[in-house]
Amino acid sequence: MIKKNKIVLILSLLFSEVLFFNCASTNGISGGTRIKTQNYDSLDEEPFYSQNAETFFEKKLSNGIPVIIKKSKNQNSCAVRLVIDSVPLSDSFNKSGLEKITLELMRKGTSKYSELYISSMEYTDSTVFTTKVHQDYLEYGISSQKDRLDTVVEIFAQTFKNPLMDEAEFNEITDQLRNSASPLLTQVYKILNSQDKYFSPCYLTEQASVSYKDVLDYQKGLLNAARITIIASGNFSDEDVENLYKVLENNFSSLKKFNYRKKQPSKKLVQYGEKFTFVEKKAYQNISALGFADIPFPLGDSYISYALLSLYLDDLIYSHVKEKHSAAQDAGTGVLLSKLNIGIISIYDISSVDKATSNLNEMLENSLTEDFIEKKLDSYKRIYTSFVMNSEIKAEKTLDQMASSLVYCGDAKEYLKRPYKISKITAAQVREVFDKYLNGKICWVINNIMTK
């Protein structure tokens, strides 16, 4: 159970935007919102888009940092987040975990605001620091109540610009992250990095050699106005929006702009080697598998078809591997967002290669007919649409959607168009994505006692 929790925890850090585990529900209810299947002739007719399109406000600070604020009436809390472009690491694999350690250290306090002070603030003011590391960008944020936001943003800005960066804290965080590393996921990244150094693991591997100086240097590189976009979401009035701009100007306009090298994938498609790759045997570990393959570019129309396809894959893989063969404790699909987009299928605790993966591609190919897809398509559209629309309930979820839309579509409000685009997807498009990206093209990585 410990090993499973470790894998699931790390997968949850990696998967973004679409992560459906065992979504067999077809009642169209997700997070309390019931979505009816409807077809609109134009985007402007779709209610989610028409009701939210004018709720975004955009300005720039005096140093050029873009600020995008979303007014969301249903939110009880407010949140501010820095979306920071990633840069290539000196060694993408051996320096893995550098971004994560740096962000975690920053939220530990400053010389003025101690870690104890910040902890008490989190308790008394319902304030939460958030850190996320994606393949293409980083996020450093804060959420709090609106009436405390002025004070909270000032403290948040100080932790970003002048963190204490204590070496003892560095050692403690490093030990914790190293102990949570998954050999199976590490193997996936080794395969990816053997062909494209773009894929730095978003966690600290056992082999990583991140030093305290690396972290200090990396933190200085974050203080670059050219790398930063600020996004915010909350129950703001027009006056609140203007006040927040002033607060952000006071706290972030001192950052200077510098040229930097953006992280860019070097290949259009990842080329896989052996169909099955086996990780070194480790005693007392359950047998697990990860399958990965290229999938469509994030958030495009084909990507939305893949998001729907992932629901079918969850159901079919789960039933074939777990229920039919009793060969797994868990199974599911997810998305590892990157400009070279990779989809991941996880199967935890499989009893043998034959039971878990033999004829799996054939089973999927034969099951995923257009007629089969059509039977559940409306239900799965409702689930995915609910997932997007319910992001408006919490500020943090709204910022998740805004950040991914900003990075991959160049527009923080692009996610508003997704319910309309979902409604237009056909069974033929879902099947086409399966044939183009996954059918017979999944590379499996197996750990523990198996041999070829």
Side-chain angles (χ1 to χ4, degrees):
M1 183 60 68
I2 293 176
K3 183 63 180 178
K4 176 187 175 181
N5 290 340
K6 182 187 293 186
I7 292 177
V8 172
L9 173 63
I10 297 176
L11 287 175
S12 70
L13 298 176
L14 299 180
F15 297 165
S16 302
E17 186 60 29
V18 180
L19 177 55
F20 302 114
F21 278 112
N22 309 327
C23 286
S25 172
T26 57
N27 60 9
I29 300 174
S30 176
T33 300
R34 183 181 294 275
I35 307 298
K36 294 181 179 180
T37 302
Q38 295 189 45
N39 201 0
Y40 301 97
D41 293 330
S42 70
L43 177 64
D44 291 332
E45 293 178 9
E46 199 280 313
F48 184 68
Y49 179 81
S50 61
Q51 293 169 12
N52 286 278
E54 302 303 320
T55 60
F56 291 81
F57 296 83
E58 301 185 30
K59 274 189 177 182
K60 288 187 177 181
L61 302 184
S62 58
N63 60 352
I65 292 179
V67 178
I68 305 166
I69 299 177
K70 170 72 169 70
K71 293 169 63 175
S72 300
K73 294 180 180 179
N74 294 329
Q75 295 170 355
N76 295 320
S77 64
C78 303
V80 176
R81 196 175 294 177
L82 309 184
V83 180
I84 310 166
D85 280 350
S86 287
V87 296
L89 300 180
S90 59
D91 187 321
S92 58
F93 192 81
N94 290 326
K95 296 300 179 183
S96 65
L98 175 59
E99 300 103 326
K100 178 69 175 175
I101 295 171
T102 305
L103 294 182
E104 287 298 317
L105 265 181
M106 286 162 52
R107 62 191 292 267
K108 293 293 183 178
T110 70
S111 57
K112 182 178 180 180
Y113 302 105
S114 67
E115 182 179 3
L116 180 61
Y117 179 88
I118 288 178
S119 297
S120 65
M121 181 181 70
E122 291 176 340
Y123 178 75
T124 58
D125 297 333
S126 301
T127 298
V128 179
F129 281 81
T130 59
T131 63
K132 292 186 179 181
V133 178
H134 303 263
Q135 285 295 339
D136 303 301
Y137 60 103
L138 315 177
E139 293 182 86
Y140 186 59
I142 195 83
S143 64
S144 188
Q145 300 303 308
K146 185 170 66 174
D147 59 355
R148 293 287 297 159
L149 203 57
D150 290 10
T151 301
V152 167
V153 168
E154 194 274 333
I155 298 171
F156 167 65
Q158 288 302 313
T159 65
F160 181 71
K161 296 186 296 184
N162 302 297
L164 193 60
M165 306 295 279
D166 181 71
E167 187 169 5
E169 289 279 6
F170 163 78
N171 292 328
E172 183 177 340
I173 291 172
T174 302
D175 289 342
Q176 291 172 351
L177 292 178
R178 201 181 302 278
N179 289 334
S180 66
S182 165
L184 188 57
L185 283 169
T186 299
Q187 183 72 2
V188 170
Y189 277 109
K190 280 185 176 180
I191 295 170
L192 293 175
N193 275 282
S194 68
Q195 297 159 67
D196 193 330
K197 301 303 181 183
Y198 178 82
F199 289 96
S200 172
C202 300
Y203 58 94
L204 186 68
T205 68
E206 293 178 344
Q207 296 89 341
S209 56
V210 177
S211 70
Y212 180 54
K213 185 179 184 302
D214 289 334
V215 173
L216 296 179
D217 291 342
Y218 193 81
Q219 188 273 332
K220 291 178 183 177
L222 296 178
L223 306 181
N224 182 353
R227 293 177 61 183
I228 298 170
T229 299
I230 300 177
I231 57 178
S233 178
N235 188 6
F236 297 123
S237 65
D238 290 345
E239 183 179 354
D240 293 329
V241 170
E242 290 302 319
N243 183 57
L244 181 55
Y245 277 128
K246 293 177 182 177
V247 172
L248 294 171
E249 171 72 21
N250 290 338
N251 286 283
F252 290 99
S253 62
S254 61
L255 296 176
K256 306 299 182 183
K257 278 190 173 184
F258 304 99
N259 292 329
Y260 69 99
R261 187 160 64 98
K262 289 189 176 183
K263 188 178 180 184
Q264 295 289 348
S266 60
K267 293 184 179 180
K268 187 175 181 180
L269 293 173
V270 176
Q271 301 298 318
Y272 305 120
E274 296 290 338
K275 192 67 178 177
F276 290 89
T277 304
F278 296 87
V279 184
E280 178 184 358
K281 175 181 177 180
K282 290 184 179 292
Y284 309 113
Q285 284 189 358
N286 293 308
I287 307 168
S288 304
L290 285 178
F292 62 100
D294 295 299
I295 59 175
F297 185 86
L299 307 189
D301 292 343
S302 294
Y303 177 89
I304 292 174
S305 295
Y306 175 80
L308 293 170
L309 172 63
S310 68
L311 292 168
Y312 294 96
L313 294 175
D314 274 347
D315 279 350
L316 291 172
I317 293 173
Y318 193 83
S319 63
H320 179 77
V321 177
K322 178 177 173 61
E323 296 178 354
K324 183 177 180 180
H325 294 293
S326 298
Q329 292 185 16
D330 201 2
T333 63
V335 175
L336 172 58
L337 275 186
S338 67
K339 292 177 182 178
L340 280 180
N341 208 12
I342 301 295
I344 292 182
I345 297 170
S346 67
I347 303 178
Y348 171 76
D349 194 11
I350 54 178
S351 60
S352 72
V353 172
D354 289 339
K355 286 184 178 179
T357 58
S358 178
N359 299 320
L360 181 58
N361 287 329
E362 182 180 346
M363 182 276 296
L364 293 175
E365 181 180 4
N366 294 335
S367 298
L368 282 168
T369 63
E370 285 190 32
D371 288 341
F372 175 82
I373 294 171
E374 191 67 54
K375 290 177 182 178
K376 292 187 175 183
L377 189 57
D378 283 346
S379 296
Y380 286 166
K381 283 181 178 180
R382 289 195 295 269
I383 292 172
Y384 188 15
T385 302
S386 297
F387 170 80
V388 177
M389 292 175 64
N390 280 323
S391 71
E392 290 294 300
I393 296 175
K394 291 187 177 181
E396 294 85 351
K397 290 186 178 180
T398 301
L399 294 188
D400 288 341
Q401 299 281 0
M402 289 174 64
S404 58
S405 291
L406 180 68
V407 171
Y408 298 112
C409 304
D411 184 354
K413 63 182 179 182
E414 181 70 19
Y415 77 95
L416 298 179
K417 300 177 184 178
R418 220 166 303 151
Y420 175 75
K421 291 181 178 180
I422 293 168
S423 71
K424 297 298 183 182
I425 299 298
T426 66
Q429 288 174 301
V430 175
R431 173 67 197 200
E432 180 183 1
V433 166
F434 172 71
D435 286 332
K436 182 175 180 179
Y437 293 96
L438 300 182
N439 194 3
K441 301 173 184 178
I442 300 172
C443 180
W444 288 99
V445 179
I446 313 294
N447 78 330
N448 208 335
I449 61 175
M450 301 180 186
T451 62
K452 294 182 181 180

